[in-house]
Amino acid sequence: MTWTRREFLAASGVMSTYPLLGGCGDSGMTRYEEAVAALREELPAEPALRDFVRYATLAPNSHNTQPWEFRLGADRVEILPDLARNCPVVDPDDHHVFVSLGCAAENLLVAANARNRAGEAVVNLDGTSATARITLGNGAGIDRELCDAIPRRQSTRSEYDGQPVSREELAALESAATMPGVNTFFITDRGKMDGVLDYVIEGNSAQIDDPAFVEELKNWIRFNPEAAVETNDGLFAACSGNPTLPTWLGRFMFDRFFTRDAENDKYAKQVRSSAGIVIFVAEKEDQEGWINVGRSFQRFALQATALEIRHAHLNMPIEVAHIRPEFARWMGIPGRRPDLIIRFGKAPPLPMSLRRPVKEVIAPIEDVITA
Ligand SMILES: Cc1cc2nc3c(=O)[nH]c(=O)nc-3n(C[C@H](O)[C@H](O)[C@H](O)COP(=O)(O)O)c2cc1C
């Protein structure tokens, strides 16, 4: 949901009376920005495991639910899914949960590597769920540029500048995303990007016509900085370029303005202003494959950030079950499952999102890894 100028001005009129309506305005935003900055403090020269976990949590994750828990051992970190934080409507088989775990695992590996603790990740099965177990070593730091990008990476849900990226930049993005077990499909041809857009519009229309999808999304939106800081999770309105409002008014405006036509229009402009689209497809359609997709996507996202290239998700065609196989046929990979659809291009940044503090995502002391 990005509001039109007229809607924004109307809302701004209401915002000028915001303190009277129960929000605390500027001081809320100051607290928000302080929390954002504290989460993104530079890693110390010799980080403790908790510092690496902080960087891991800066990973992208579906609806910013942060569906993970970290178990610490001597030189190990295990990342487990927190299935109480899944989104059953948009993600009924927890696909996005495991992709998010992969993003966090890659952040942790990149951060450790950059501080001379190069390690490796192994996917384990814990009951019926996969976990990513990372063992840190003492290897040389080669990922500094990507590590510096971790606190600066964001999902930028705005229109981009409409310019292509250079051949060298594209090659760097392709190379960063290369990972065993994952195929990437880069599209920069305008006609083909319009082809993806057709499926985005079909998927988006189906989602907005589904009241359960809309309700789930609305429940994860934080309409003002106070609400965002209270939970440290969810989708803060300003991170999508929207004005901030008291929660009751935000929910009211959402019901009015979150419509099929407005959203489809917005996505058409966003796709047409982007330099390209990349689609990630796991070779194995299971939790391990999805974790690998998250790792590949995260390397892409960090490399893009290092090059000042923004990215945002267009996952609707892969989230709507009946559209996904059609979309795979259109891509020329019938029978396979495309996992993520990401647009990229250049644009100014938007506000950064929040995360829960490290102490809230670390498992209790009695739960440390001993095996
Ligand atoms: C598996 C996955 C699916 C996502 N799907 C969407 C999506 O459909 N639309 C969207 O705008 N963002 C999507 N996101 C981005 C998250 O909303 C975003 O990462 C989260 O809100 C945190 O914000 P940040 O990436 O700016 O740190 C997705 C992220 C992941 C990892």
Side-chain angles (χ1 to χ4, degrees):
M1 175 184 63
T2 303
W3 297 357
T4 64
R5 192 173 150 76
R6 222 178 52 207
E7 291 150 9
F8 180 84
L9 290 176
S12 306
V14 179
M15 277 162 63
S16 61
T17 56
Y18 180 20
L20 300 178
L21 292 166
C24 55
D26 284 354
S27 71
M29 205 55 218
T30 305
R31 273 182 62 212
Y32 183 90
E33 280 159 3
E34 284 168 0
V36 159
L39 284 163
R40 289 172 174 79
E41 264 172 30
E42 197 184 345
L43 276 183
E46 291 190 15
L49 288 184
R50 293 173 160 264
D51 297 310
F52 289 133
V53 170
R54 174 168 59 87
Y55 261 39
T57 67
L58 296 176
N61 64 92
S62 179
H63 283 21
N64 200 19
T65 70
Q66 306 161 41
W68 44 51
E69 187 180 44
F70 295 77
R71 238 175 3 193
L72 307 188
D75 276 324
R76 286 200 197 147
V77 179
E78 186 156 21
I79 313 179
L80 295 83
D82 179 350
L83 295 176
R85 288 184 162 266
N86 69 350
C87 292
V89 181
V90 73
D91 187 29
D93 58 3
D94 298 326
H95 167 277
H96 287 359
V97 170
F98 290 96
V99 173
S100 305
L101 243 56
C103 297
E106 193 58 31
N107 261 11
L108 206 148
L109 284 163
V110 166
N113 191 325
R115 290 292 183 274
N116 299 319
R117 300 294 321 272
E120 50 181 39
V122 175
V123 173
N124 282 329
L125 261 192
D126 184 359
T128 54
S129 284
T131 71
R133 180 174 282 201
I134 294 158
T135 307
L136 301 185
N138 291 302
I142 51 169
D143 271 349
R144 271 168 223 265
E145 195 194 18
L146 295 191
C147 181
D148 289 346
I150 290 175
R152 294 192 297 111
R153 185 215 56 82
Q154 62 167 221
S155 307
T156 312
R157 301 180 190 85
S158 55
E159 282 179 43
Y160 298 167
D161 71 0
Q163 299 302 309
V165 296
S166 71
R167 215 171 327 150
E168 294 73 28
E169 287 170 328
L170 197 59
L173 295 177
E174 284 176 352
S175 154
T178 301
M179 174 148 306
V182 182
N183 301 128
T184 52
F185 299 76
F186 280 78
I187 303 174
T188 51
D189 174 84
R190 289 278 151 205
K192 291 214 176 83
M193 285 170 69
D194 271 347
V196 176
L197 176 60
D198 289 343
Y199 284 100
V200 167
I201 288 177
E202 193 183 340
N204 189 54
S205 303
Q207 287 182 325
I208 293 183
D209 287 348
D210 174 0
F213 169 87
V214 174
E215 195 54 29
E216 182 177 78
L217 174 63
K218 190 163 61 173
N219 286 335
W220 281 104
I221 296 181
R222 308 288 175 253
F223 290 98
N224 52 72
E226 293 82 1
V229 170
E230 196 178 312
T231 59
N232 289 305
D233 62 13
L235 302 160
F236 177 41
C239 296
S240 302
N242 289 317
T244 61
L245 293 170
T247 301
W248 66 267
L249 185 58
R251 291 179 71 87
F252 172 80
M253 300 288 268
F254 181 89
D255 290 340
R256 267 188 78 126
F257 294 117
F258 188 72
T259 64
R260 214 191 218 248
D261 288 352
E263 290 296 294
N264 286 340
D265 251 27
K266 179 186 81 178
Y267 286 117
K269 289 187 185 124
Q270 290 184 349
V271 169
R272 295 197 174 119
S273 69
S274 297
I277 291 174
V278 50
I279 303 167
F280 295 80
V281 187
E283 279 170 10
K284 270 196 331 182
E285 197 187 304
D286 59 14
Q287 294 173 356
E288 181 173 5
W290 302 337
I291 288 176
N292 286 336
V293 162
R295 292 187 58 191
S296 164
F297 161 52
Q298 186 62 8
R299 289 193 79 82
F300 160 87
L302 294 177
Q303 179 63 72
T305 306
L307 295 168
E308 300 297 334
I309 295 171
R310 312 280 167 212
H311 68 276
H313 292 251
L314 295 169
N315 292 329
M316 307 76 165
I318 55 113
E319 288 171 345
V320 179
H322 71 269
I323 299 177
R324 199 158 55 221
E326 274 176 47
F327 183 64
R329 271 194 295 279
W330 176 85
M331 283 180 67
I333 52 164
R336 294 185 64 191
R337 175 176 181 160
D339 291 288
L340 285 181
I341 307 174
I342 309 290
R343 68 185 174 98
F344 57 89
K346 295 198 177 156
L350 289 172
M352 305 300 286
S353 57
L354 286 182
R355 296 293 186 274
R356 289 178 291 151
V358 167
K359 64 177 185 327
E360 284 184 28
V361 295
I362 291 190
I365 200 83
E366 64 273 14
D367 215 10
V368 292
I369 308 169
T370 46

